[in-house]
Amino acid sequence: GVDEFIPVARIADMLLNPGGSYRYDGATRTYPHVRLVYWAGGNPFHHHQDLNRLRRAFARVDTLVVHDSVWTATARHADFVLPATMTLERMDIGACSHDPLLVPMHPVAEPFGQARDDYAIFADLAARLGARERFTEGRDVRQWLEHLYEPTRVALERLGAPAPGFD
């Protein structure tokens, strides 16, 4: 597996050049031979600079699993698509890299069709691998979101900017 972050721009490089070398953070590293890609959310076809090259790269893997809420170009290339809920169908936390706040979000609609929230999908995959308890740590989705939200709420309160509780 890949033990480091590889930006979208390098996905095609990695998949098309298994065993090839590249420079990262002052060191020479080697691309792994990737046989399975699991893409959860986002759409590399929306971000990649050379779409034909990315298409060739995804065609080289044995299995492409896409976990998404919409029928993206990436989903169209997938061997398996795991339907995820949309933002308005799940309990979640909203955040943006340009804003230091977390915003608690609650569902306003039932999931469509067979769509499930990301946590349910990952927890069930972990269960199939015999690791459900390690993955969930005994928390359901709401408990995880509250656990993640609370430190931000407390930090804001300490700064004199009271934030609402998750509820």
Side-chain angles (χ1 to χ4, degrees):
V2 179
D3 63 355
E4 64 183 69
F5 170 76
I6 295 181
V8 172
R10 290 218 178 169
I11 296 296
D13 293 342
M14 177 185 69
L15 296 175
L16 292 170
N17 299 297
S21 62
Y22 65 99
R23 298 282 298 164
Y24 177 79
D25 202 19
T28 299
R29 303 193 179 195
T30 304
Y31 287 124
H33 179 77
V34 175
R35 296 177 45 210
L36 180 141
V37 171
Y38 185 116
W39 201 276
N43 179 11
F45 281 92
H46 180 72
H47 303 288
H48 203 277
Q49 300 86 346
D50 186 339
L51 299 182
N52 288 323
R53 191 163 192 270
L54 183 60
R55 178 175 287 148
R56 285 192 310 276
F58 274 150
R60 297 217 29 197
V61 299
D62 295 340
T63 308
L64 174 59
V65 178
V66 173
H67 165 156
D68 211 334
S69 60
V70 296
W71 190 241
T72 63
T74 307
R76 289 183 185 103
H77 288 83
D79 298 296
F80 300 96
V81 177
L82 303 178
T85 52
M86 299 183 83
T87 302
L88 296 175
E89 299 170 331
R90 66 176 174 252
M91 186 174 299
D92 207 343
I93 294 177
C96 175
S97 61
H98 305 298
D99 190 341
L101 300 177
L102 294 178
V103 178
M105 298 164 34
H106 301 279
V108 298
E110 290 297 316
F112 181 76
Q114 296 179 2
R116 299 183 313 134
D117 70 58
D118 297 333
Y119 183 79
I121 293 170
F122 287 132
D124 285 351
L125 288 172
R128 289 176 180 241
L129 296 170
R132 183 181 194 91
E133 281 307 309
R134 280 196 326 245
F135 176 78
T136 66
E137 296 182 13
R139 293 182 178 110
D140 64 18
V141 68
R142 182 182 182 92
Q143 291 167 326
W144 265 113
L145 292 171
E146 288 174 347
H147 175 75
L148 295 169
Y149 180 76
E150 187 61 15
T152 298
R153 190 195 65 72
V154 169
L156 287 170
E157 203 167 77
R158 285 186 189 138
L159 293 173
F166 190 81
D167 286 338

